[in-house]
Amino acid sequence: MNPGLLDLILFSEKRKDFLLLLKEGPKNIEEILEKLQVPRTALLPQIKKLKEENLVIHEEGMYRLSTIGEIVVEKMQPLLDTLSVFEKNEEFWADRKLAPIPSHLIKRISELGDYHLIEPDLSHTFDLNTEFVKILSNSSRIHMFYSYFHPQFPALFLNLARKSIEVSLVLSEAVYLRLVEDFEEKGKEFLEMENSSLYILEKKWVEIPALIAASDRIMSLGLFNESGRFDRQYLISFEPQAIKWGQELFKYYRDMSREIK
């Protein structure tokens, strides 16, 4: 694809939306104007440019994608979805270490979909997000990896396990040692439950995230910034494809871990 064609497609919202609309099938001009909510005089010049590049065909009052247009739009959608993820919170992504996400999942980062960025309330900096805890409490299974210590985590996961929720945890070695040292009784009770499992990440020289959580209802991801700090900003998504993505990321780290019996 030459740079001129790339600019034609991506640098005009009207052209981009028009092409994506035609992906659904042929449309007449009235349908198009109603769907896109743009004036005829504003859209027709953009359609003309797409016709000149042989991306769109106009026959018998109907607009449709050409064969080339179909191929281009099919490849365009994943790119637009990926850009949407990064553009939604540019500052967040620019300052995050992405190395903890394996390449096969980075390539599918568009699956995060319409996520939300959670930022700590300064008046409750050290408290867990109540809405996040509520959602976990109403889940049937929870898979979670964390490599930063939060003093409320041991009680949280023990209480979740007591509710017969399936809880599987992967901890960094430092977090595990802190758990053993300061929360020995809670740790023992957790391990004795049939619906709980605990793993320690064994690979020491890999970049790791701060937090991965994937239940049957929500996915959450926390990444360290470029300075190696976790500023308690993390994203959540309720979309099924994002939850599946989070489960795969959790499994990636669980497979590098040793189970504690």
Side-chain angles (χ1 to χ4, degrees), residues 107-142:
K107 292 175 182 177
R108 290 165 43 204
I109 204 160
S110 61
E111 293 176 16
L112 295 182
D114 186 22
Y115 67 89
H116 307 280
L117 183 64
I118 303 299
E119 301 187 62
D121 180 347
L122 293 179
S123 61
H124 298 86
T125 302
F126 299 104
D127 293 338
L128 294 173
N129 182 275
T130 53
E131 186 64 24
F132 180 64
V133 172
K134 181 180 178 181
I135 294 169
L136 291 183
S137 299
N138 291 318
S139 301
S140 60
R141 66 180 182 278
I142 299 164

PDB file of all heavy atoms in Angstrom, residues 107-142:
ATOM      1  N   LYS A 107       0.587  -8.699  20.117  1.00  0.00           N
ATOM      2  CA  LYS A 107       0.008  -8.619  18.778  1.00  0.00           C
ATOM      3  C   LYS A 107      -1.511  -8.610  18.817  1.00  0.00           C
ATOM      4  O   LYS A 107      -2.156  -8.177  17.859  1.00  0.00           O
ATOM      5  CB  LYS A 107       0.507  -9.793  17.926  1.00  0.00           C
ATOM      6  CG  LYS A 107       1.988  -9.728  17.595  1.00  0.00           C
ATOM      7  CD  LYS A 107       2.444 -10.972  16.859  1.00  0.00           C
ATOM      8  CE  LYS A 107       3.934 -10.929  16.568  1.00  0.00           C
ATOM      9  NZ  LYS A 107       4.412 -12.180  15.918  1.00  0.00           N
ATOM     10  N   ARG A 108      -2.071  -9.066  19.916  1.00  0.00           N
ATOM     11  CA  ARG A 108      -3.537  -9.121  20.054  1.00  0.00           C
ATOM     12  C   ARG A 108      -4.035  -8.129  21.108  1.00  0.00           C
ATOM     13  O   ARG A 108      -5.098  -8.323  21.682  1.00  0.00           O
ATOM     14  CB  ARG A 108      -3.955 -10.545  20.439  1.00  0.00           C
ATOM     15  CG  ARG A 108      -3.763 -11.558  19.319  1.00  0.00           C
ATOM     16  CD  ARG A 108      -3.834 -12.989  19.848  1.00  0.00           C
ATOM     17  NE  ARG A 108      -4.925 -13.166  20.796  1.00  0.00           N
ATOM     18  CZ  ARG A 108      -4.923 -14.131  21.734  1.00  0.00           C
ATOM     19  NH1 ARG A 108      -3.895 -14.961  21.844  1.00  0.00           N
ATOM     20  NH2 ARG A 108      -5.945 -14.238  22.559  1.00  0.00           N
ATOM     21  N   ILE A 109      -3.279  -7.078  21.345  1.00  0.00           N
ATOM     22  CA  ILE A 109      -3.659  -6.143  22.400  1.00  0.00           C
ATOM     23  C   ILE A 109      -4.955  -5.414  22.084  1.00  0.00           C
ATOM     24  O   ILE A 109      -5.620  -4.873  22.967  1.00  0.00           O
ATOM     25  CB  ILE A 109      -2.514  -5.139  22.680  1.00  0.00           C
ATOM     26  CG1 ILE A 109      -2.658  -4.586  24.097  1.00  0.00           C
ATOM     27  CG2 ILE A 109      -2.466  -4.038  21.623  1.00  0.00           C
ATOM     28  CD1 ILE A 109      -1.405  -3.984  24.661  1.00  0.00           C
ATOM     29  N   SER A 110      -5.354  -5.423  20.822  1.00  0.00           N
ATOM     30  CA  SER A 110      -6.642  -4.826  20.442  1.00  0.00           C
ATOM     31  C   SER A 110      -7.805  -5.529  21.140  1.00  0.00           C
ATOM     32  O   SER A 110      -8.894  -4.959  21.276  1.00  0.00           O
ATOM     33  CB  SER A 110      -6.837  -4.900  18.927  1.00  0.00           C
ATOM     34  OG  SER A 110      -6.851  -6.244  18.483  1.00  0.00           O
ATOM     35  N   GLU A 111      -7.576  -6.756  21.623  1.00  0.00           N
ATOM     36  CA  GLU A 111      -8.633  -7.508  22.285  1.00  0.00           C
ATOM     37  C   GLU A 111      -9.013  -6.926  23.645  1.00  0.00           C
ATOM     38  O   GLU A 111     -10.023  -7.323  24.231  1.00  0.00           O
ATOM     39  CB  GLU A 111      -8.225  -8.982  22.426  1.00  0.00           C
ATOM     40  CG  GLU A 111      -8.115  -9.692  21.081  1.00  0.00           C
ATOM     41  CD  GLU A 111      -7.624 -11.126  21.193  1.00  0.00           C
ATOM     42  OE1 GLU A 111      -7.663 -11.683  22.318  1.00  0.00           O
ATOM     43  OE2 GLU A 111      -7.197 -11.695  20.171  1.00  0.00           O
ATOM     44  N   LEU A 112      -8.219  -5.980  24.145  1.00  0.00           N
ATOM     45  CA  LEU A 112      -8.601  -5.308  25.390  1.00  0.00           C
ATOM     46  C   LEU A 112      -9.884  -4.517  25.196  1.00  0.00           C
ATOM     47  O   LEU A 112     -10.602  -4.242  26.156  1.00  0.00           O
ATOM     48  CB  LEU A 112      -7.468  -4.383  25.866  1.00  0.00           C
ATOM     49  CG  LEU A 112      -6.174  -5.080  26.269  1.00  0.00           C
ATOM     50  CD1 LEU A 112      -5.164  -4.050  26.755  1.00  0.00           C
ATOM     51  CD2 LEU A 112      -6.428  -6.120  27.349  1.00  0.00           C
ATOM     52  N   GLY A 113     -10.142  -4.124  23.975  1.00  0.00           N
ATOM     53  CA  GLY A 113     -11.423  -3.501  23.646  1.00  0.00           C
ATOM     54  C   GLY A 113     -11.666  -2.196  24.389  1.00  0.00           C
ATOM     55  O   GLY A 113     -10.753  -1.396  24.607  1.00  0.00           O
ATOM     56  N   ASP A 114     -12.900  -2.010  24.820  1.00  0.00           N
ATOM     57  CA  ASP A 114     -13.305  -0.761  25.472  1.00  0.00           C
ATOM     58  C   ASP A 114     -12.995  -0.852  26.973  1.00  0.00           C
ATOM     59  O   ASP A 114     -13.896  -0.963  27.807  1.00  0.00           O
ATOM     60  CB  ASP A 114     -14.793  -0.509  25.237  1.00  0.00           C
ATOM     61  CG  ASP A 114     -15.235   0.855  25.760  1.00  0.00           C
ATOM     62  OD1 ASP A 114     -14.367   1.741  25.900  1.00  0.00           O
ATOM     63  OD2 ASP A 114     -16.432   1.022  26.035  1.00  0.00           O
ATOM     64  N   TYR A 115     -11.718  -0.790  27.301  1.00  0.00           N
ATOM     65  CA  TYR A 115     -11.279  -0.910  28.695  1.00  0.00           C
ATOM     66  C   TYR A 115     -11.443   0.434  29.422  1.00  0.00           C
ATOM     67  O   TYR A 115     -11.707   1.471  28.821  1.00  0.00           O
ATOM     68  CB  TYR A 115      -9.820  -1.358  28.757  1.00  0.00           C
ATOM     69  CG  TYR A 115      -8.840  -0.324  28.235  1.00  0.00           C
ATOM     70  CD1 TYR A 115      -8.304   0.635  29.086  1.00  0.00           C
ATOM     71  CD2 TYR A 115      -8.470  -0.287  26.893  1.00  0.00           C
ATOM     72  CE1 TYR A 115      -7.414   1.602  28.616  1.00  0.00           C
ATOM     73  CE2 TYR A 115      -7.592   0.665  26.416  1.00  0.00           C
ATOM     74  CZ  TYR A 115      -7.070   1.605  27.282  1.00  0.00           C
ATOM     75  OH  TYR A 115      -6.209   2.572  26.819  1.00  0.00           O
ATOM     76  N   HIS A 116     -11.267   0.375  30.744  1.00  0.00           N
ATOM     77  CA  HIS A 116     -11.323   1.581  31.569  1.00  0.00           C
ATOM     78  C   HIS A 116     -10.048   1.665  32.401  1.00  0.00           C
ATOM     79  O   HIS A 116      -9.574   0.645  32.916  1.00  0.00           O
ATOM     80  CB  HIS A 116     -12.533   1.560  32.500  1.00  0.00           C
ATOM     81  CG  HIS A 116     -13.830   1.312  31.790  1.00  0.00           C
ATOM     82  ND1 HIS A 116     -14.506   2.296  31.120  1.00  0.00           N
ATOM     83  CD2 HIS A 116     -14.558   0.174  31.628  1.00  0.00           C
ATOM     84  CE1 HIS A 116     -15.597   1.794  30.592  1.00  0.00           C
ATOM     85  NE2 HIS A 116     -15.652   0.507  30.866  1.00  0.00           N
ATOM     86  N   LEU A 117      -9.504   2.851  32.537  1.00  0.00           N
ATOM     87  CA  LEU A 117      -8.309   3.056  33.347  1.00  0.00           C
ATOM     88  C   LEU A 117      -8.739   3.472  34.747  1.00  0.00           C
ATOM     89  O   LEU A 117      -9.463   4.453  34.927  1.00  0.00           O
ATOM     90  CB  LEU A 117      -7.409   4.130  32.723  1.00  0.00           C
ATOM     91  CG  LEU A 117      -6.077   4.382  33.446  1.00  0.00           C
ATOM     92  CD1 LEU A 117      -5.201   3.135  33.404  1.00  0.00           C
ATOM     93  CD2 LEU A 117      -5.349   5.568  32.825  1.00  0.00           C
ATOM     94  N   ILE A 118      -8.291   2.721  35.738  1.00  0.00           N
ATOM     95  CA  ILE A 118      -8.602   3.010  37.136  1.00  0.00           C
ATOM     96  C   ILE A 118      -7.407   3.721  37.766  1.00  0.00           C
ATOM     97  O   ILE A 118      -6.282   3.223  37.715  1.00  0.00           O
ATOM     98  CB  ILE A 118      -8.901   1.720  37.919  1.00  0.00           C
ATOM     99  CG1 ILE A 118     -10.054   0.952  37.254  1.00  0.00           C
ATOM    100  CG2 ILE A 118      -9.228   2.037  39.374  1.00  0.00           C
ATOM    101  CD1 ILE A 118     -11.351   1.702  37.200  1.00  0.00           C
ATOM    102  N   GLU A 119      -7.658   4.877  38.321  1.00  0.00           N
ATOM    103  CA  GLU A 119      -6.605   5.634  38.989  1.00  0.00           C
ATOM    104  C   GLU A 119      -6.940   5.749  40.466  1.00  0.00           C
ATOM    105  O   GLU A 119      -8.108   5.893  40.836  1.00  0.00           O
ATOM    106  CB  GLU A 119      -6.477   7.024  38.357  1.00  0.00           C
ATOM    107  CG  GLU A 119      -6.153   6.962  36.875  1.00  0.00           C
ATOM    108  CD  GLU A 119      -5.869   8.335  36.290  1.00  0.00           C
ATOM    109  OE1 GLU A 119      -4.899   8.974  36.728  1.00  0.00           O
ATOM    110  OE2 GLU A 119      -6.627   8.753  35.407  1.00  0.00           O
ATOM    111  N   PRO A 120      -5.935   5.678  41.346  1.00  0.00           N
ATOM    112  CA  PRO A 120      -6.205   5.677  42.786  1.00  0.00           C
ATOM    113  C   PRO A 120      -6.781   7.008  43.258  1.00  0.00           C
ATOM    114  O   PRO A 120      -6.365   8.074  42.825  1.00  0.00           O
ATOM    115  CB  PRO A 120      -4.819   5.425  43.400  1.00  0.00           C
ATOM    116  CG  PRO A 120      -3.850   5.897  42.370  1.00  0.00           C
ATOM    117  CD  PRO A 120      -4.503   5.603  41.049  1.00  0.00           C
ATOM    118  N   ASP A 121      -7.751   6.905  44.131  1.00  0.00           N
ATOM    119  CA  ASP A 121      -8.291   8.077  44.813  1.00  0.00           C
ATOM    120  C   ASP A 121      -7.258   8.492  45.868  1.00  0.00           C
ATOM    121  O   ASP A 121      -6.880   7.685  46.730  1.00  0.00           O
ATOM    122  CB  ASP A 121      -9.625   7.694  45.472  1.00  0.00           C
ATOM    123  CG  ASP A 121     -10.265   8.858  46.201  1.00  0.00           C
ATOM    124  OD1 ASP A 121      -9.581   9.883  46.406  1.00  0.00           O
ATOM    125  OD2 ASP A 121     -11.434   8.730  46.582  1.00  0.00           O
ATOM    126  N   LEU A 122      -6.790   9.722  45.797  1.00  0.00           N
ATOM    127  CA  LEU A 122      -5.726  10.165  46.699  1.00  0.00           C
ATOM    128  C   LEU A 122      -6.107  10.024  48.164  1.00  0.00           C
ATOM    129  O   LEU A 122      -5.242   9.851  49.025  1.00  0.00           O
ATOM    130  CB  LEU A 122      -5.352  11.616  46.385  1.00  0.00           C
ATOM    131  CG  LEU A 122      -4.691  11.850  45.019  1.00  0.00           C
ATOM    132  CD1 LEU A 122      -4.384  13.334  44.819  1.00  0.00           C
ATOM    133  CD2 LEU A 122      -3.425  11.026  44.879  1.00  0.00           C
ATOM    134  N   SER A 123      -7.398  10.096  48.460  1.00  0.00           N
ATOM    135  CA  SER A 123      -7.835   9.959  49.855  1.00  0.00           C
ATOM    136  C   SER A 123      -7.927   8.492  50.290  1.00  0.00           C
ATOM    137  O   SER A 123      -8.110   8.196  51.466  1.00  0.00           O
ATOM    138  CB  SER A 123      -9.194  10.639  50.052  1.00  0.00           C
ATOM    139  OG  SER A 123     -10.174  10.042  49.229  1.00  0.00           O
ATOM    140  N   HIS A 124      -7.813   7.565  49.303  1.00  0.00           N
ATOM    141  CA  HIS A 124      -7.851   6.126  49.617  1.00  0.00           C
ATOM    142  C   HIS A 124      -6.739   5.404  48.840  1.00  0.00           C
ATOM    143  O   HIS A 124      -6.957   4.350  48.254  1.00  0.00           O
ATOM    144  CB  HIS A 124      -9.210   5.533  49.249  1.00  0.00           C
ATOM    145  CG  HIS A 124     -10.350   6.114  50.002  1.00  0.00           C
ATOM    146  ND1 HIS A 124     -10.999   7.262  49.607  1.00  0.00           N
ATOM    147  CD2 HIS A 124     -10.946   5.726  51.166  1.00  0.00           C
ATOM    148  CE1 HIS A 124     -11.965   7.550  50.472  1.00  0.00           C
ATOM    149  NE2 HIS A 124     -11.950   6.639  51.431  1.00  0.00           N
ATOM    150  N   THR A 125      -5.558   5.984  48.883  1.00  0.00           N
ATOM    151  CA  THR A 125      -4.448   5.474  48.084  1.00  0.00           C
ATOM    152  C   THR A 125      -4.131   4.017  48.370  1.00  0.00           C
ATOM    153  O   THR A 125      -3.799   3.243  47.471  1.00  0.00           O
ATOM    154  CB  THR A 125      -3.186   6.328  48.325  1.00  0.00           C
ATOM    155  OG1 THR A 125      -3.488   7.684  47.995  1.00  0.00           O
ATOM    156  CG2 THR A 125      -2.034   5.847  47.474  1.00  0.00           C
ATOM    157  N   PHE A 126      -4.254   3.601  49.627  1.00  0.00           N
ATOM    158  CA  PHE A 126      -3.821   2.253  50.002  1.00  0.00           C
ATOM    159  C   PHE A 126      -4.993   1.288  50.172  1.00  0.00           C
ATOM    160  O   PHE A 126      -4.815   0.182  50.671  1.00  0.00           O
ATOM    161  CB  PHE A 126      -2.988   2.324  51.292  1.00  0.00           C
ATOM    162  CG  PHE A 126      -1.747   3.161  51.141  1.00  0.00           C
ATOM    163  CD1 PHE A 126      -1.693   4.438  51.685  1.00  0.00           C
ATOM    164  CD2 PHE A 126      -0.667   2.704  50.411  1.00  0.00           C
ATOM    165  CE1 PHE A 126      -0.546   5.225  51.526  1.00  0.00           C
ATOM    166  CE2 PHE A 126       0.475   3.487  50.241  1.00  0.00           C
ATOM    167  CZ  PHE A 126       0.527   4.742  50.799  1.00  0.00           C
ATOM    168  N   ASP A 127      -6.177   1.720  49.761  1.00  0.00           N
ATOM    169  CA  ASP A 127      -7.339   0.839  49.818  1.00  0.00           C
ATOM    170  C   ASP A 127      -7.556   0.184  48.463  1.00  0.00           C
ATOM    171  O   ASP A 127      -7.291   0.776  47.419  1.00  0.00           O
ATOM    172  CB  ASP A 127      -8.594   1.616  50.203  1.00  0.00           C
ATOM    173  CG  ASP A 127      -8.528   2.146  51.633  1.00  0.00           C
ATOM    174  OD1 ASP A 127      -7.764   1.581  52.423  1.00  0.00           O
ATOM    175  OD2 ASP A 127      -9.244   3.125  51.935  1.00  0.00           O
ATOM    176  N   LEU A 128      -8.077  -1.039  48.494  1.00  0.00           N
ATOM    177  CA  LEU A 128      -8.449  -1.700  47.255  1.00  0.00           C
ATOM    178  C   LEU A 128      -9.707  -1.052  46.696  1.00  0.00           C
ATOM    179  O   LEU A 128     -10.575  -0.599  47.447  1.00  0.00           O
ATOM    180  CB  LEU A 128      -8.702  -3.188  47.517  1.00  0.00           C
ATOM    181  CG  LEU A 128      -7.485  -4.012  47.942  1.00  0.00           C
ATOM    182  CD1 LEU A 128      -7.918  -5.416  48.338  1.00  0.00           C
ATOM    183  CD2 LEU A 128      -6.456  -4.078  46.825  1.00  0.00           C
ATOM    184  N   ASN A 129      -9.795  -1.013  45.374  1.00  0.00           N
ATOM    185  CA  ASN A 129     -10.965  -0.445  44.723  1.00  0.00           C
ATOM    186  C   ASN A 129     -12.205  -1.272  45.079  1.00  0.00           C
ATOM    187  O   ASN A 129     -12.260  -2.477  44.827  1.00  0.00           O
ATOM    188  CB  ASN A 129     -10.746  -0.429  43.208  1.00  0.00           C
ATOM    189  CG  ASN A 129     -11.894   0.185  42.453  1.00  0.00           C
ATOM    190  OD1 ASN A 129     -12.869  -0.490  42.149  1.00  0.00           O
ATOM    191  ND2 ASN A 129     -11.794   1.463  42.139  1.00  0.00           N
ATOM    192  N   THR A 130     -13.197  -0.617  45.694  1.00  0.00           N
ATOM    193  CA  THR A 130     -14.360  -1.344  46.209  1.00  0.00           C
ATOM    194  C   THR A 130     -15.172  -2.006  45.093  1.00  0.00           C
ATOM    195  O   THR A 130     -15.694  -3.112  45.272  1.00  0.00           O
ATOM    196  CB  THR A 130     -15.272  -0.401  47.014  1.00  0.00           C
ATOM    197  OG1 THR A 130     -15.593   0.748  46.221  1.00  0.00           O
ATOM    198  CG2 THR A 130     -14.569   0.063  48.285  1.00  0.00           C
ATOM    199  N   GLU A 131     -15.282  -1.341  43.950  1.00  0.00           N
ATOM    200  CA  GLU A 131     -16.042  -1.913  42.842  1.00  0.00           C
ATOM    201  C   GLU A 131     -15.345  -3.156  42.301  1.00  0.00           C
ATOM    202  O   GLU A 131     -15.996  -4.161  41.978  1.00  0.00           O
ATOM    203  CB  GLU A 131     -16.218  -0.872  41.734  1.00  0.00           C
ATOM    204  CG  GLU A 131     -17.117  -1.307  40.592  1.00  0.00           C
ATOM    205  CD  GLU A 131     -18.557  -1.540  41.025  1.00  0.00           C
ATOM    206  OE1 GLU A 131     -18.966  -0.946  42.053  1.00  0.00           O
ATOM    207  OE2 GLU A 131     -19.253  -2.306  40.348  1.00  0.00           O
ATOM    208  N   PHE A 132     -14.012  -3.090  42.218  1.00  0.00           N
ATOM    209  CA  PHE A 132     -13.231  -4.234  41.744  1.00  0.00           C
ATOM    210  C   PHE A 132     -13.411  -5.421  42.692  1.00  0.00           C
ATOM    211  O   PHE A 132     -13.634  -6.561  42.246  1.00  0.00           O
ATOM    212  CB  PHE A 132     -11.759  -3.836  41.647  1.00  0.00           C
ATOM    213  CG  PHE A 132     -10.845  -4.923  41.178  1.00  0.00           C
ATOM    214  CD1 PHE A 132     -10.956  -5.453  39.911  1.00  0.00           C
ATOM    215  CD2 PHE A 132      -9.857  -5.423  42.017  1.00  0.00           C
ATOM    216  CE1 PHE A 132     -10.116  -6.464  39.472  1.00  0.00           C
ATOM    217  CE2 PHE A 132      -9.011  -6.429  41.589  1.00  0.00           C
ATOM    218  CZ  PHE A 132      -9.140  -6.950  40.314  1.00  0.00           C
ATOM    219  N   VAL A 133     -13.344  -5.163  43.995  1.00  0.00           N
ATOM    220  CA  VAL A 133     -13.519  -6.219  44.991  1.00  0.00           C
ATOM    221  C   VAL A 133     -14.921  -6.815  44.905  1.00  0.00           C
ATOM    222  O   VAL A 133     -15.107  -8.036  45.002  1.00  0.00           O
ATOM    223  CB  VAL A 133     -13.247  -5.673  46.410  1.00  0.00           C
ATOM    224  CG1 VAL A 133     -13.623  -6.708  47.470  1.00  0.00           C
ATOM    225  CG2 VAL A 133     -11.784  -5.286  46.554  1.00  0.00           C
ATOM    226  N   LYS A 134     -15.922  -5.973  44.693  1.00  0.00           N
ATOM    227  CA  LYS A 134     -17.304  -6.434  44.585  1.00  0.00           C
ATOM    228  C   LYS A 134     -17.475  -7.374  43.402  1.00  0.00           C
ATOM    229  O   LYS A 134     -18.144  -8.411  43.511  1.00  0.00           O
ATOM    230  CB  LYS A 134     -18.243  -5.238  44.455  1.00  0.00           C
ATOM    231  CG  LYS A 134     -19.713  -5.593  44.371  1.00  0.00           C
ATOM    232  CD  LYS A 134     -20.575  -4.350  44.246  1.00  0.00           C
ATOM    233  CE  LYS A 134     -22.050  -4.701  44.111  1.00  0.00           C
ATOM    234  NZ  LYS A 134     -22.890  -3.484  43.972  1.00  0.00           N
ATOM    235  N   ILE A 135     -16.863  -7.012  42.273  1.00  0.00           N
ATOM    236  CA  ILE A 135     -16.972  -7.854  41.071  1.00  0.00           C
ATOM    237  C   ILE A 135     -16.293  -9.203  41.302  1.00  0.00           C
ATOM    238  O   ILE A 135     -16.822 -10.254  40.939  1.00  0.00           O
ATOM    239  CB  ILE A 135     -16.364  -7.136  39.854  1.00  0.00           C
ATOM    240  CG1 ILE A 135     -17.200  -5.901  39.512  1.00  0.00           C
ATOM    241  CG2 ILE A 135     -16.302  -8.073  38.650  1.00  0.00           C
ATOM    242  CD1 ILE A 135     -16.552  -4.976  38.516  1.00  0.00           C
ATOM    243  N   LEU A 136     -15.110  -9.184  41.930  1.00  0.00           N
ATOM    244  CA  LEU A 136     -14.426 -10.441  42.237  1.00  0.00           C
ATOM    245  C   LEU A 136     -15.275 -11.309  43.155  1.00  0.00           C
ATOM    246  O   LEU A 136     -15.347 -12.536  42.992  1.00  0.00           O
ATOM    247  CB  LEU A 136     -13.073 -10.164  42.892  1.00  0.00           C
ATOM    248  CG  LEU A 136     -11.980  -9.529  42.024  1.00  0.00           C
ATOM    249  CD1 LEU A 136     -10.690  -9.401  42.826  1.00  0.00           C
ATOM    250  CD2 LEU A 136     -11.727 -10.327  40.755  1.00  0.00           C
ATOM    251  N   SER A 137     -15.936 -10.677  44.123  1.00  0.00           N
ATOM    252  CA  SER A 137     -16.750 -11.417  45.092  1.00  0.00           C
ATOM    253  C   SER A 137     -17.947 -12.093  44.446  1.00  0.00           C
ATOM    254  O   SER A 137     -18.497 -13.058  44.993  1.00  0.00           O
ATOM    255  CB  SER A 137     -17.231 -10.469  46.202  1.00  0.00           C
ATOM    256  OG  SER A 137     -16.124  -9.913  46.899  1.00  0.00           O
ATOM    257  N   ASN A 138     -18.361 -11.601  43.283  1.00  0.00           N
ATOM    258  CA  ASN A 138     -19.497 -12.185  42.572  1.00  0.00           C
ATOM    259  C   ASN A 138     -19.062 -13.068  41.406  1.00  0.00           C
ATOM    260  O   ASN A 138     -19.880 -13.425  40.556  1.00  0.00           O
ATOM    261  CB  ASN A 138     -20.420 -11.076  42.062  1.00  0.00           C
ATOM    262  CG  ASN A 138     -21.139 -10.369  43.199  1.00  0.00           C
ATOM    263  OD1 ASN A 138     -21.607 -11.015  44.125  1.00  0.00           O
ATOM    264  ND2 ASN A 138     -21.224  -9.050  43.139  1.00  0.00           N
ATOM    265  N   SER A 139     -17.784 -13.405  41.373  1.00  0.00           N
ATOM    266  CA  SER A 139     -17.252 -14.288  40.335  1.00  0.00           C
ATOM    267  C   SER A 139     -17.292 -15.733  40.826  1.00  0.00           C
ATOM    268  O   SER A 139     -17.392 -15.994  42.026  1.00  0.00           O
ATOM    269  CB  SER A 139     -15.819 -13.891  39.978  1.00  0.00           C
ATOM    270  OG  SER A 139     -15.757 -12.559  39.511  1.00  0.00           O
ATOM    271  N   SER A 140     -17.183 -16.657  39.900  1.00  0.00           N
ATOM    272  CA  SER A 140     -17.136 -18.074  40.291  1.00  0.00           C
ATOM    273  C   SER A 140     -15.702 -18.599  40.292  1.00  0.00           C
ATOM    274  O   SER A 140     -15.405 -19.596  40.970  1.00  0.00           O
ATOM    275  CB  SER A 140     -18.000 -18.916  39.355  1.00  0.00           C
ATOM    276  OG  SER A 140     -17.540 -18.815  38.011  1.00  0.00           O
ATOM    277  N   ARG A 141     -14.821 -17.930  39.551  1.00  0.00           N
ATOM    278  CA  ARG A 141     -13.405 -18.320  39.565  1.00  0.00           C
ATOM    279  C   ARG A 141     -12.551 -17.080  39.337  1.00  0.00           C
ATOM    280  O   ARG A 141     -12.953 -16.161  38.626  1.00  0.00           O
ATOM    281  CB  ARG A 141     -13.107 -19.375  38.500  1.00  0.00           C
ATOM    282  CG  ARG A 141     -13.274 -18.891  37.077  1.00  0.00           C
ATOM    283  CD  ARG A 141     -12.959 -19.977  36.055  1.00  0.00           C
ATOM    284  NE  ARG A 141     -13.078 -19.480  34.691  1.00  0.00           N
ATOM    285  CZ  ARG A 141     -14.212 -19.367  34.025  1.00  0.00           C
ATOM    286  NH1 ARG A 141     -15.351 -19.733  34.610  1.00  0.00           N
ATOM    287  NH2 ARG A 141     -14.238 -18.903  32.796  1.00  0.00           N
ATOM    288  N   ILE A 142     -11.375 -17.090  39.951  1.00  0.00           N
ATOM    289  CA  ILE A 142     -10.464 -15.943  39.858  1.00  0.00           C
ATOM    290  C   ILE A 142      -9.050 -16.454  39.663  1.00  0.00           C
ATOM    291  O   ILE A 142      -8.569 -17.301  40.428  1.00  0.00           O
ATOM    292  CB  ILE A 142     -10.511 -15.094  41.146  1.00  0.00           C
ATOM    293  CG1 ILE A 142     -11.918 -14.536  41.380  1.00  0.00           C
ATOM    294  CG2 ILE A 142      -9.501 -13.949  41.075  1.00  0.00           C
ATOM    295  CD1 ILE A 142     -12.142 -14.020  42.787  1.00  0.00           C
TER     296      ILE A 142
END
